[in-house]
Every structure is written in C-alpha cells, then in structure tokens.
Amino acid sequence: MNAARVGCSGWNYRDWRGVLYPPGCPAKRWLERYASHFDTVEVNATFYRLPSRQAVAHWVAQTPPGFCFALKASRYLTHVRRLIDVEQGIATLEQRIAPLREAGRLGPLLWQLPENFHRDDDRLDGLLQALPEGRHAIEFRHESWFADDVLAALREHDVALVLGDHPQRPFQTHEATASWRYVRFHYGSRGRRGNYSQSELQQWAKRIARWSQEGGLFAYFNNDWEAFAPRNATYLRKRIETCAAQD
C-alpha cells in the first residue's frame, strides 16, 4: 500500500454533531457516517476495554470494503503490566478482533507507552518477540527511548516508530523504522486550543505526500474536542492530494 490513509482517533464524540454527523443522526449510525467520509479510523476505546467479538463483527458490517481499523492495544498490557508477560493478553486481544482480521479490515496495532515508562530494552524485546502477524506501531512518550539501538530493534521487526506530534514532546523524530509510517496528531501548536492551523497542515501535507511515495502511511488526529479532529483530517487529506498531484 503506497498511499496515505488519514482519519481520526475514534468516532463516538458528541462534539462532532453538526459537523461530521447531521442533526438527528443517531449515535448507532455514527460509524457508518464516519466511514462514508474517511477510509480509516484508530480505535481508541480498545485501550480502555476490549470489545466483544460481536461488537467487532458489527464494526465490519457498518463499514464498506476497504475501510481499515487501527487498534490501540490495551492499557493493561502497556500501562499496568508495562510489557511484562504480554503473551496471554495478546492472545485475548487477537481472539476478540478476529472478525477484523478475517474480513481483511485490520490495520496496525498501536502500542502506546506511558510518559513515565523509561527505556527498558528487555521489556521492549519481549514485546517485539511476542507480536502477532501484521503491522505494529509503538509510541514512546519518554525521551530515553529515542536512541539509535532502540530504533534499530524496531527496524529489525518492521515496527513503525509513531511520530506523536505534540508541542510538549519536542524530542520526537521523523526517522522511519519500518517500510511504512504511523503519525498521530495530538495537539496543534499554532492554532487555538489544540486545533491545527492551515499552515501547519500544509507543512505536514508536503511531508506526508513525500513519505507516502516510499511506503504506506497511517495518520490520525486525536484532538477530538470541538470537532477539530474531523476538520483537520479532512483538510490534511485534501492538501496531501494536491501536493501529490503537483509532484
């Protein structure tokens, strides 16, 4: 997949009424409406609670062929267990999300580590050895992880280093560790209240248009409040298309 998929982190937000969801559109149809506008979503809810297989099968039924779900791994594995003995937890996750894999709708699994989780090579190696088949991306939030040998370990397993854009984490790098990329937009630095400005998005569009020629790319907006995320994602996708057409 040599293309960029752009979407949001979740779809179940009341602030999006009147922006992405028409007045009167019931919440049970929000995913269907979302999928008519975007071709991918990052499921943030799986970080807090694993869905049932029935619920996951319903996601498949509500979305068109080609729609892709990125899933955030359980905080029990990343924040409670802190990557210790994750094999059973991964097996449970795989059992629950099987309908996505069977339908060809499963995108990357996102492993987000907490900000107070310092570098631990043994725990990272344990995770990398336990990862199931498919794409995986890891988001480090402590500066100690951003070292050459850590990035080399990710490259060995074709695991994408998440570029988590946030003004409070300036140590993030644009360096690629996989044959594809994963970008998370947390908080714009030039717009108001975390909204991304058009100039910021234009800069990102140029980068992403270039990166997507090298391999697949997934990008998600996590600034869901005040409907910033769907607005920013829509604008960025259009600008990427424009930049790609100009190359």
Side-chain angles (χ1 to χ4, degrees):
M1 186 198 70
N2 294 324
R5 288 180 180 258
V6 179
C8 304
S9 183
W11 67 85
N12 192 22
Y13 300 107
R14 294 181 180 179
D15 284 356
W16 297 8
R17 288 173 172 166
V19 177
L20 187 63
Y21 307 135
C25 181
K28 65 181 180 181
R29 296 196 61 186
W30 285 356
L31 176 56
E32 180 183 349
R33 175 69 181 181
Y34 175 97
S36 70
H37 193 77
F38 298 108
D39 65 0
T40 189
V41 69
E42 179 187 88
V43 184
N44 195 46
T46 50
F47 179 71
Y48 300 100
R49 181 178 181 181
L50 290 182
S52 66
R53 283 176 63 108
Q54 183 179 7
V56 174
H58 192 50
W59 295 348
V60 173
Q62 288 181 292
T63 54
F67 188 87
C68 175
F69 292 84
L71 297 181
K72 194 172 180 182
S74 171
R75 64 178 176 177
Y76 177 73
L77 302 179
T78 57
H79 288 54
V80 179
R81 298 294 301 170
R82 298 174 79 88
L83 304 186
I84 297 177
D85 298 330
V86 296
E87 291 82 359
Q88 183 55 53
I90 290 176
T92 301
L93 173 63
E94 282 287 300
Q95 189 273 334
R96 299 290 185 89
I97 67 176
L100 289 179
R101 193 178 289 279
E102 293 165 0
R105 304 288 191 82
L106 181 61
L109 291 182
L110 168 65
W111 301 84
Q112 177 197 298
L113 302 189
E115 293 188 43
N116 63 356
F117 194 161
H118 294 215
R119 177 180 172 180
D120 188 314
D121 292 350
D122 290 339
R123 295 192 190 188
L124 176 62
D125 183 64
L127 172 66
L128 295 176
Q129 297 297 334
L131 292 176
E133 179 182 354
R135 290 189 177 97
H136 296 271
I138 187 163
E139 182 176 10
F140 299 125
R141 293 191 168 185
H142 191 274
E143 189 173 3
S144 61
W145 290 100
F146 292 85
D148 289 343
D149 44 351
V150 172
L151 304 188
L154 299 187
R155 289 192 183 95
E156 183 179 349
H157 294 268
D158 198 37
V159 171
L161 173 68
V162 172
L163 202 174
D165 186 59
H166 196 295
Q168 294 181 356
R169 291 188 281 273
F171 48 80
Q172 292 281 348
T173 175
H174 291 184
E175 193 168 349
T177 62
S179 56
W180 55 284
R181 291 178 183 257
Y182 199 113
V183 183
R184 303 189 78 209
F185 294 100
H186 293 296
Y187 201 92
S189 58
R190 298 181 197 166
R192 295 182 177 180
R193 300 182 302 281
N195 186 30
Y196 279 81
S197 68
Q198 290 188 359
S199 62
E200 281 181 286
L201 295 176
Q202 177 64 25
Q203 288 182 330
W204 277 106
K206 292 178 179 178
R207 293 189 190 109
I208 291 174
R210 183 176 70 253
W211 290 342
S212 61
Q213 293 177 355
E214 304 167 359
L217 185 144
F218 298 83
Y220 301 99
F221 284 85
N222 194 33
N223 54 342
D224 58 83
W225 54 95
E226 299 183 50
F228 292 149
R231 289 191 178 103
N232 290 168
T234 299
Y235 183 84
L236 178 63
R237 186 177 58 184
K238 291 179 179 178
R239 297 309 304 166
I240 293 170
E241 293 171 355
T242 300
C243 291
Q246 292 173 348
D247 289 342

